[in-house]
Amino acid sequence: MLEILAEINLLEEADGGMKRDGCSGMMPSFRVNDELIMCEILAADDQVFHRGKTYLVSIRLPYGEIFSHIIVPNYTFELNYGSRTVGKGTVMNITQSKAKPK
């Protein structure tokens, strides 16, 4: 699993984003190059993420260790639901990196 600290910004609905605000625990896909991998976005106190604002969050990538050579500080990424981009972000720091047990 790879866990990162990142700044995210959810897009406004007019820009192709979601119809509602997001929240801690949401599970969009994280785009790495042209691949989508699952992720979970977490923040303190079940925070609501209002579209159009920037938030500092923790993102868990259960299979992210495969991409640990790509996902490094200052890496920019997209958050997707299906093929639709609903947010963008930048990696600030890697907080945990460990391989899944076999």
Side-chain angles (χ1 to χ4, degrees):
M1 173 169 6
L2 186 64
E3 190 169 314
I4 62 172
L5 184 66
E7 282 188 344
I8 62 165
N9 185 298
L10 299 181
L11 300 177
E12 298 278 354
E13 183 179 4
D15 297 324
M18 301 182 298
K19 295 179 191 248
R20 294 187 213 140
D21 292 329
C23 63
S24 182
M26 65 187 284
M27 298 180 76
S29 295
F30 184 102
R31 183 179 293 277
V32 181
N33 293 338
D34 286 332
E35 293 191 52
L36 297 175
I37 59 174
M38 66 188 297
C39 79
E40 181 179 21
I41 299 176
L42 301 169
D45 303 325
D46 295 325
Q47 182 174 8
V48 172
F49 306 127
H50 299 284
R51 293 162 291 156
K53 295 188 177 184
T54 300
Y55 295 92
L56 188 62
V57 298
S58 177
I59 301 179
R60 289 185 186 153
L61 300 148
Y63 301 99
E65 71 279 355
I66 298 167
F67 301 100
S68 61
H69 62 290
I70 297 171
I71 302 172
V72 296
N74 297 318
Y75 178 76
T76 58
F77 59 89
E78 295 177 352
L79 298 170
N80 294 70
Y81 279 117
S83 62
R84 189 168 117 199
T85 300
V86 297
K88 298 183 182 217
T90 303
V91 175
M92 305 307 289
N93 196 11
I94 307 300
T95 56
Q96 179 180 351
S97 180
K98 65 180 176 182
K100 282 189 157 289
K102 293 182 180 183

